[in-house]
């Protein structure tokens, strides 16, 4: 069986010159790749005591929901601005390319809940830092943050130094 990193396709200069895009579609469209990705991320939660999984739109949904399902936990969506129908809290942040704003429903986290954050990839860490702050604004405690991939050269972990962070695949560059 192949290693998980062998399922990731890397595309130079997408969506902008200088970015190496780490593509998850090549992982997901292979049954073994999909199993390996979910199982490897889920293993990062061994021994972690938590109440709810929170995933960031859109690739965080793909990995967060099966993990929540497998572990019989609820799944909460962090969405890009303007998509959630009820009362929200929101936060703006900078991306490796461009800027964005994310939101959560005000009633999605109950005060004191222990939260695991899930996303496919950490680049600058801006997205997941903003998500962590929203969880905290709602009274949740972020007990673990997990990724399939980490672009270590962008130093996202330094931004998340107050959190317990783990990833399955580490790329040394950007
Ligand atoms: O660490 P950062 O610099 O914040 O970058 C990482 C984020 O960027 C990508 O999402 P994107 O906003 O492109 O949205 P998508 O998942 O809908 O493609 C990726 O899925 C992470 O959420
Ligand atoms: N290099 C990259 N590859 C895939 N998704 C990303 N999101 C931010 N940077 C990325």
């Amino acid at each position: 069986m192949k290693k998980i990193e062998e399922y990731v396709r890397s595309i130079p200069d997408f969506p902008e010159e200088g970015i190496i895009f780490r593509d998850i579609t090549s992982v997901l469209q292979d049954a073994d790749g999909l199993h390996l990705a979910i199982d490897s991320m889920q293993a990062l939660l061994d021994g972690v005591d938590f109440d709810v999984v929170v995933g960031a739109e859109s690739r965080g949904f793909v990995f967060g929901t099966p993990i929540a399902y497998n572990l019989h936990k609820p799944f909460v969506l962090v969405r890009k601005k303007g998509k959630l129908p009820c009362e929200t809290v929101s936060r703006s942040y900078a991306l490796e390319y461009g800027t964005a704003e994310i939101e959560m429903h005000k009633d999605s986290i109950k005060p004191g809940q222990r939260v695991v954050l899930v996303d496919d990839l950490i680049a600058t860490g801006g997205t997941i830092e903003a998500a962590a702050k929203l969880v905290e604004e709602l009274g949740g405690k972020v007990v673990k943050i997990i990724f399939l991939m980490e672009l270590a050269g962008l130093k996202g972990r330094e931004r998340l130094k107050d959190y317990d962070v783990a990833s399955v695949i580490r790329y040394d560059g950007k």
Side-chain angles (χ1 to χ4, degrees), residues 57-59 80 95-97 119-127:
E57 183 172 355
S58 60
R59 288 174 259 163
K80 288 170 179 156
L95 282 173
E96 190 184 7
Y97 37 86
D119 209 347
D120 67 321
L121 176 142
I122 176 171
T124 66
T127 305

Side-chain angles (χ1 to χ4, degrees), residues 4-96:
I4 183 64
E5 46 269 46
E6 295 176 66
Y7 290 98
V8 179
R9 179 164 57 179
S10 296
I11 295 106
D13 299 324
F14 181 88
E16 288 178 4
E17 216 180 306
I19 305 281
I20 304 172
F21 193 83
R22 308 295 180 177
D23 183 22
I24 57 162
T25 66
S26 48
V27 178
L28 302 173
Q29 66 199 25
D30 185 292
D32 290 334
L34 176 56
H35 263 262
L36 196 52
I38 299 301
D39 293 349
S40 307
M41 291 178 79
Q42 199 169 302
L44 301 175
L45 297 177
D46 283 352
V48 180
D49 172 26
F50 68 98
D51 304 305
V52 53
V53 178
V54 171
E57 183 172 355
S58 60
R59 288 174 259 163
F61 298 169
V62 174
F63 296 99
T65 308
I67 292 170
Y69 179 87
N70 286 339
L71 298 176
H72 203 86
K73 302 289 183 189
F75 182 74
V76 165
L77 285 71
V78 173
R79 295 220 61 180
K80 288 170 179 156
K81 192 177 172 54
K83 302 283 186 179
L84 289 172
C86 299
E87 259 200 287
T88 60
V89 287
S90 70
R91 210 163 172 108
S92 300
Y93 62 99
L95 282 173
E96 190 184 7

